[in-house]
Amino acid sequence: MPQPDLTLTPAGPALAPRYRDRRTAVPSHPVRTSRNSYLRLFGVPGARAFIVGNLIARLPMGMFGVSAVIMIAAAYDSYALAGGVTATGMAAGALTAPWIARLVDRYGQARIAVPATVYAVLGHLVLLLCVHEKAPVWALFATTALTATSPNTGGMSRARWAHLLKDDRDALHTANAFEQATDELCFMLGPVVAALLCSTLFPEAGTLVGAALFLTGVLIFAAQRSTEPPVSPRAATGSPLRVPGMAPLLAVFLATGAVFGSMEVVTVAYVDGPVAGPVLALQAAGSCAAGLLYGRARRTVRLRTCLAAMAVLMTVPLLAASTGSLLALAGGLLLAGMATAPTMVTGMGLVQRLTPASQLNEGMTLAVTALLGGIAAGSATGGWAADHAPFASFGFLVPAVAAAVALTLRAATEEGGRA
């Protein structure tokens, strides 16, 4: 919510031809101006500008959900309604995201992302007006579907790195780790910023600021045409789902999403107080730190190894919660989070490897859609476990089991033991 053999060119089994985009003078390799692998990323011509724009655009992704819940609950005095409306928006976005990504692949990032973002922002503003005027409940569910055109900004950023660093696998691994750390940072800070705005200003403030940041960030990002991947003729037909190995990998993403969704719900239910947010933030902090360290590692590991580490570490919160100590649970979540980013970096690297270059945005968006589906399923399962728990820490069994399922799926479908 990447490794030497996992960060091969996104052109699939065959290496992509070496060429330079005739529209630009951007080299297809990183500029090595520093020993620090992350500083070298910022040395790539044009990278700083699209990094800044994408960061601004991604922060609202962690704001919109919390903002909508606070805004709707304040107006209608119903958290159930607020949760149902936000879940509807998430489901609609999961359905449309692969189609938006397919258009991005076919016509280019700037040409599709800007109008898609404008439509999504208008959807958020219409929802805000409906809530402010206390429109009928059905109108809230109808208008939240208008926000479903939001482009996958993280996927577009990863596609740019895959284009710019296609001849440097180590640098591409570092870039993927940086992107994952950025995701964790945005989803860690977004809810905090949204809650602060909504509580100190007015309930609609989080949605307003989020919409403004989203549109501004996408406009800045799309304006960086020199780093935009060129549109290439579609070498493949149909969906990336038909690519061998993609469907089993998406099943792993689905189970992994269930880990994230269930952990959030059962932690909130267990803590049951204002400190639930900061305690959950420790998991994201652990993931962010581990992701940055993983990006600097010269040797990388297979996805199955990452999932095995996750399966082990997800038992730590269960054991910590069994002690009844909130401090122990906080430490357990910090440790458990350290398995998240390496797993996601490795998984996204596999998506880049399997997906043809002409369908890269669509392939990565399918992975995100699978994650969202898993998060929704995990949230529902975690909520049921929290309500029917025979003992306090029972709910933490759900993320541990989900991690074990993800590992089992990968072990059963892994081909050749290389990826």
Side-chain angles (χ1 to χ4, degrees), residues 188-213:
M188 182 169 57
L189 295 180
V192 176
V193 173
L196 182 64
L197 289 171
C198 293
S199 60
T200 58
L201 297 178
F202 47 91
E204 298 87 357
T207 298
L208 278 175
V209 173
L213 288 174

Side-chain angles (χ1 to χ4, degrees), residues 17 88 93 300:
T88 300
T300 52

Side-chain angles (χ1 to χ4, degrees), residues 206-409:
T207 298
L208 278 175
V209 173
L213 288 174
F214 187 31
L215 181 59
T216 301
V218 170
L219 289 176
I220 295 174
F221 178 82
Q224 314 310 313
R225 302 301 294 271
S226 64
T227 55
E228 181 178 351
V231 177
S232 58
R234 293 178 68 86
T237 58
S239 170
L241 282 171
R242 299 182 179 181
V243 175
M246 179 63 77
L249 182 58
L250 294 182
V252 173
F253 272 93
L254 186 70
T256 304
V259 176
F260 306 150
S262 59
M263 182 64 80
E264 180 176 351
V265 172
V266 300
T267 300
V268 171
Y270 180 88
V271 177
D272 191 23
V275 297
V279 169
L280 270 175
L282 285 174
Q283 183 182 4
S287 178
C288 183
L292 292 174
L293 290 174
Y294 188 59
R296 298 194 64 178
R298 297 194 176 185
R299 294 196 51 154
T300 52
V301 295
R302 295 181 298 175
L303 178 59
R304 186 171 64 181
T305 304
C306 292
L307 291 170
M310 174 179 283
V312 172
L313 289 178
M314 284 301 157
T315 63
V316 177
L318 172 62
L319 297 174
S322 300
T323 67
S325 169
L326 186 59
L327 185 61
L329 177 61
L333 289 172
L334 181 67
L335 287 174
M338 291 181 178
T340 301
T343 301
M344 294 308 304
V345 171
T346 306
M348 282 298 182
L350 270 173
V351 173
Q352 290 177 356
R353 175 186 176 182
L354 293 173
T355 308
S358 61
Q359 298 176 295
L360 186 55
N361 283 287
E362 185 179 356
M364 289 190 291
T365 302
L366 283 172
V368 173
T369 300
L371 277 173
L372 291 176
I375 289 172
S379 297
T381 306
W384 180 90
D387 285 343
H388 299 82
F391 50 91
S393 61
F394 176 78
F396 288 97
L397 281 170
V398 179
V401 171
V405 170
L407 173 60
T408 302
L409 287 172

